[in-house]
Every structure is written in structure tokens, then in C-alpha cells.
Amino acid sequence: MMDEDDLKLMEDLAQKASFLTRDLSSNEPVHIKKRKHESVIEKYEKVPRRLQTEPEKELIHLLPIKDKTGIIPQAVEKPVLNVAHDEEEDTEDMEEAEDFNEEPLPILTPEEMAAERRKKLQERKMHIAALASAILSEPDSNIKKLKELRAMLMEQDPNVAVIVRKLVMVSLMEIFKDVAPSYKIRPLTEAEKATKVKKETQKLREFEEGLVSQYKFYLENLEQTIKDWKQRKLKKSNVISLKAYKGLAEVAVKCLCELLVALPHFNFHNNIIVLIVPLMNDPSKMISELCVEAVKKLFKQDKLGYASLGVVKVISGLVRGRNYDVRPEVLKVFLHLRIKEVELQKDSEDIAPKKKFMTYKEKRKNLSRMQRKWKKAEEKLERELLEAEASESKEKKLKLHTETLNIVFVTYFRILKKAQKSPLLPAVLEGLAKFAHLINVEFFDDLLIVLHSLIASGDLSYRESLHCILSAFHILSGQGDVLNIDPMKFYTHLYKTLFSLHAGGTNEDIEIVLQCLDVMFAKRRKQVSQQRALAFLKRLSILALHVLPNSSVGILATNRIFMQTFPKMDLLLDNESQGSGVYLPELEEPEHCNAQNTALWELHLLQRHYHPTVQKFASHLIAGAPTEGSGALPLDMTQRSATELFETYCMKGMTFNPPVASVTPRRKDTFSQMNSFVDEELNKQLQQHVSQTVAHKPLDFAKHLKESSLA
């Protein structure tokens, strides 16, 4: 049995919320804080016991001392740092820093912020200039400063980050252009690294190794900048503005373009090509134009062909990988290739033979022992000279050009076969027109059939059809002379479409027409009939009345070549008809239009043309195009081709070319002379009249003076 007091205690505890979790011996309520009734002794007893032992002192062993008795070891106690004191100092510093951070930052006005930014920017500029000057002054010693300068590409201050990164990019680009050697640095082999070398050689190796590594990291930074810009353009991130990233990317592309052109011989040039070529097709017009111009410069200055071959390979892969969906400017860069001859056939006549050395048997048979010894030394010297020769052999250059042109033609033929309605077709036809004379004879028949089918389809613009005609005749004027092909259909097409030209937008196409006429008549004069030449001469004279002056000059220069190249062209300078029939100007067949029964009456109209050069050419042709005498042209005009004259007298600036002589000063002089003469005469008459009036009627002097002045 439980006592009543115990039962009451249990009932009271059961009503409390923490009955099961609290100590049953406690009578205090739950939410009252536990009072500290424990005594000091109880607290001390609760602390765990620890043995207080002194820390062992660390000893620093010194060099022993040796005397008569033996070796005496030497040791010194290691000084113990006062850790507690240091911790107190650290805590004080942290408290001071916290107190400092708690103070509010001063609010700057816009003028003060701008001044602060200018100050920071000036400091960064001075630092960049100091590093760049040190590197350029002594590259061998200060090559490690390239790393410090390159680290500034990661500038994090948002006020000056963009400008500082741009300045560092351009500075590093100029440094590499100046410091990079004129040869490619190759990595050292393990055997070369293990070999002991001179101090100067080791210093040069360290410089080359550091230069290549920093150049590699720099190119990677430029590539990453461009990739970041493209990714942010897609994701529309707000971390850094798109405009700022675009500016950084443009500077990075400019630096890559400069290095592409300036260092085609140095390391990682192929990596730069792989970066630049896809950017030629970039949606940003500025970046695309930068890359296209850089590739054009590279093609123009590349004499050997290594760099050109690498670029052409990447462009061909890009066009094929994009399924021919690229800008026409990407293919038009092929027109700037410096390829004038290729290895068409491997004959002994076409390729210069190599230097052939005598074999051992030939030496043994033909030479004495002393002669063999001298011959061996001579051949060794010649081999060393050939290896040390800087210029490439003609055979190697021809091989590179041949391989480059093969890739270009493969790209062109793929587009002709698979993408005839592509916007790349004009660039392809223009390229074929330039390099057609270098195509292998085996492809001539098929290519001419394709070109004619393109013209006959009617899907081409007038300029594209002109490029087709120009390509066909370039093919036939070169190696195509051996082929028995009649290009009459190309003559007919050009003849019937000449009147599509006028003084408007098609005036620029006349330059291509002049090139076509030069290839069709001047270079194939033996294959052209008299009727065909007369028909073209008459139609070109009519066309000269409807075009701009520079086009008229080019057409009349072509007519001059016609009259000097083909006999009996002076028939058109006579009014009498030659043979039966009437001239049919609307007929599209030049062979059957009876051009011999007309006259060049257009030349009389062109004699009254406002352009002085057109007048000279018209008078020259009426006189029969003589080479000497009063009707001959000046020497500077006769030595220029029709295309050169077309460009010389171009009127793109909407001004007269040549400019009209000013007559204003003469008119001013004449008017001033006339005015002075009239003034003198009036003064004389006035003086005579006044003298007579004063003599007879002095009182009426004022009246007469007034009347004379009115008269």
C-alpha cells in the first residue's frame, strides 16, 4: 500500500508535460531555469582529471666539437613561441576589423566615382606599360613577366575590368609579334633534355619554352573569351552586359587575326586557322569582315603555300559540314590565292630535275682514289647547303599549289553538282573563271556541258551567266585548244544579251563583258569568222550610246582591238553595202544578221559626246584606228587594256573623271576688265559734260549734274 503523501506527489507529477523526460527527483516547474545550487567543490569534482606534465623541450642539434677527450655533441633548445599572446593579438585584430566593417562606407558622388575610376585605370595602364617595356627590352631575362601580364586578363574590378582586359589583350599581341622568332619552336626530346649544354644554350631553351607556353595560354584565353560571348548571347546572362562581352570578343578576334597574318610560321598557327575560319560565317557582320580580310591578307602574302593550304582545307570542311549553307564571302576568299601554275603533268620538261649525286659504283669506275675523296667532300658540302637553303624548291611549291587547287576545285564541283540553286553559285562561277586554265583536260567536256546547261536553264542572273561564259572560254583558251569543241552557243548567248546592259545597275557588269570579249576574240582570233566579228563590232557601237562614259571608253577600246585584229573591219566605215541582204539588228544569230551591209554611224554621235576621252576614241575609230599619224591615240591610252580604261575613268564618286577644267577665274578677269573700262569711259564723259555746263550756265550746275547722272 502507498501512503497518501506519495500518491498525491505522483498525481501532481503526472499532470506535468515533461513527466517522462524529467528527473523524478525534481519538484521544480518545467519553464523555470535551473538554479545553480551546486557548490564550488561539486563543480570542481565534475571537471575531469588531467595530468599536468611539462612539455618536452625540443632540441636543435648542431655540429659536434672534437677535442682530445673525444666528440662532444652540441644542441640548443628550440625557442617556444608565445601562442597565447599571438592568439590574443589575432582576436584583437579581428575585433578591430569587425568594428571597422561596421562603420558605413562613405557615399561618393558621380564625379568622385569617375575620378576614382580614372585613377584606377591610370594605375593599371602604367603597370601594363611597365611590364611590356621590361619584356621588350630584355625578353630572355623577363620572359616570366609574361605570366604576370597575362594574369591581368582576369581583372575582377567591375569598374575597369573590360578596358583593362582589352588593353592586356592588345599588349600581349604586340609583344608576341615582336618577340616571336622567325622559326617554329619544337619541343625538346628526353635525350636533348638530359644532355649538358652551354649556359647560353640553356638560357635560350628556357626562353623558348616559356614563350611557347605563355603563347599557348594566351591563345586559350582568347578562345575562351569568344566562347563566353557566344554562350552568354544564347543564355542572356545578366552577370556582365552582352555589349561588354561583345566588345571583348571583337578585340579577341582582332588579336587572332593579327597573329594569323603576322606569325604564319610560328607555333599553333593551325589552331588559329581553326578558330578564325568558322568566324568568317559569323552572324556578326563586323567579326565576319575582320576574319575575311585577315584570310585575304594571308593568301596575298603567302609565297610558299603552307598557310594557304591549311586555310583552304578548313574552309572546304566548313562548307561541306554546314551543307553549303555559308556566306558567299567565305568562298570568295579563294579568288585571292597566289596560284599561277600547278603540277599538271609529271614530265621531265615541266619539273626541274633534282641534283643527282654519283653512286659508289660510278665513283669507283670513273674516279681515282684522291678524286673520290674530293668528290665525297664536295657532295657533303652541297647537301649541307641544300639543307641550309632558306627558299623552297620550285617542285615543292608546285606540289603545295597543286594540292591547294585540287581542294578548291573539289569544293566548286560539289556545289555545281549538289547545290546549283545555292547563293554560293556566283562565287563558284567567278572562281572557275579565274582558275579554269589550271583545270585538268579530263574534266573539260563535262564542265562545259554543266556550264551550258546552267545558262540554258534560265535560273541564273545576268552576271552569273557572264561568269559561265568567261569560265568556258578560259578553259578553251588554255589547254582546251587541243579539243575540237565549237563554242558558238556561248557567242550567241553573249550577243543576244548585250542589250541587257545600260547606264543603271548593270553598268558594273560591263567589266566582265570586256573580259569575255578579250578571251573570245583577241585570244581566239583564228577561230572567229569575219561575220561574227562584224556583228559584235556593230552591236558594241550601239551599246556605247547607252552606258556611262567609262563603259563607253572600254567598249570603244575593244572596238579598236577588233579593227586592228580582224581584216576588212573598215567595211563598216563605208556607206556602200557589201553583198546582198539587209542588216537585221534584232536577229539573235551574229552569223546571219548581215552586219556587213550597215555602217558605224554611232561614231559620229560619239564624236559629240561630253566626255573628252570618248570623243578621242570615236575620232580615232572614224579615222580607221591608225597606229601613227594625226588620228593616232596618245601612248598612255594605247598601252592600257579595255578593263584598265574602264576602271581608270570610273565615276563612282559621282564626279566627272577627268574633272572638268574650271573657267571661273577667266570669266572674273574678263568682267573686271569690262567694268574698269566702262567706269573710265563714264568718268571721262562726266568730266567733259561738267566742264561744259559750268562754263555756260554756272547756276544750273547742280541741275545738269543730276540729269547727267540719271542719264
Side-chain angles (χ1 to χ4, degrees), residues 229-360:
W229 169 62
K230 288 188 170 295
Q231 290 174 359
R232 291 180 184 279
K233 183 170 65 172
L234 296 174
K235 296 178 181 179
K236 296 182 180 179
S237 175
N238 294 325
V239 177
I240 294 180
S241 65
L242 177 61
K243 188 176 180 181
Y245 256 97
K246 186 178 180 182
L248 282 175
E250 287 174 357
V251 175
V253 171
K254 286 180 183 178
C255 294
L256 286 172
C257 292
E258 287 286 334
L259 295 173
L260 178 76
V261 178
L263 302 176
H265 58 276
F266 198 55
N267 299 54
F268 309 113
H269 190 257
N270 289 333
N271 302 75
I272 299 176
I273 292 173
V274 173
L275 284 174
I276 291 294
V277 170
L279 293 175
M280 294 168 64
N281 194 43
D282 194 79
S284 174
K285 187 177 180 181
M286 181 179 179
I287 289 179
S288 176
E289 289 178 354
L290 280 173
C291 299
V292 168
E293 290 300 321
V295 173
K296 287 179 182 178
K297 287 181 184 177
L298 181 65
F299 283 165
K300 288 178 182 178
Q301 74 177 25
D302 185 23
K303 297 180 180 179
L304 302 179
Y306 287 109
S308 300
L309 178 60
V311 175
V312 168
K313 283 181 179 179
V314 179
I315 291 177
S316 178
L318 175 70
V319 173
R320 190 177 181 184
R322 296 285 181 89
N323 198 18
Y324 313 106
D325 184 19
V326 295
R327 292 187 175 191
E329 289 79 8
V330 177
L331 277 186
K332 284 183 180 179
V333 296
F334 287 162
L335 300 175
H336 298 271
L337 286 168
R338 294 183 59 175
I339 299 178
K340 295 182 179 179
E341 55 179 343
V342 293
E343 195 175 5
L344 294 173
Q345 50 185 4
K346 296 184 179 180
D347 294 337
S348 58
E349 299 176 357
D350 298 334
I351 302 172
K354 290 183 178 180
K355 177 72 176 177
K356 189 176 181 181
F357 298 104
M358 295 180 68
T359 61
Y360 178 75

Side-chain angles (χ1 to χ4, degrees), residues 22-87:
R22 289 181 65 240
D23 187 4
L24 295 178
S25 62
S26 175
N27 286 331
E28 295 177 354
V30 178
H31 301 291
I32 297 176
K33 291 184 179 180
K34 185 178 180 181
R35 297 174 184 175
K36 299 181 180 180
H37 297 294
E38 302 173 9
S39 62
V40 180
I41 299 173
E42 291 176 349
K43 283 185 179 181
Y44 180 76
E45 289 296 333
K46 288 182 179 180
V47 176
R49 269 61 170 173
R50 290 181 182 176
L51 296 175
Q52 293 182 356
T53 57
E54 294 183 2
E56 296 182 0
K57 297 180 180 180
E58 295 185 11
L59 298 177
I60 299 175
H61 296 280
L62 304 178
L63 291 175
I65 299 173
K66 186 177 181 180
D67 59 358
K68 296 179 180 180
T69 59
I71 296 174
I72 304 172
Q74 299 290 321
V76 178
E77 293 182 2
K78 186 177 180 179
V80 180
L81 297 175
N82 193 353
V83 179
H85 181 69
D86 293 343
E87 288 180 355

Side-chain angles (χ1 to χ4, degrees), residues 361-421:
K361 290 184 178 180
E362 290 175 346
K363 292 177 185 177
R364 185 92 177 178
K365 183 178 180 181
N366 301 323
L367 303 176
S368 64
R369 186 175 181 181
M370 186 59 67
Q371 287 175 334
R372 289 199 300 271
K373 187 176 181 181
W374 279 104
K375 190 71 176 177
K376 185 177 180 180
E378 183 182 351
E379 289 179 355
K380 183 180 179 182
L381 180 61
E382 287 182 2
R383 286 193 180 95
E384 290 177 355
L385 289 174
L386 285 174
E387 290 176 359
E389 189 178 2
S391 62
E392 296 291 332
S393 64
K394 184 180 179 181
E395 182 183 356
K396 197 167 187 179
K397 186 177 178 181
L398 282 176
K399 284 183 178 179
L400 287 171
H401 285 182
T402 305
E403 187 178 355
T404 303
L405 203 60
N406 285 340
I407 298 172
V408 171
F409 282 140
V410 165
T411 307
Y412 285 165
F413 293 157
R414 280 176 183 161
I415 295 172
L416 285 175
K417 184 178 179 181
K418 298 181 181 179
Q420 291 188 356
K421 295 185 179 180

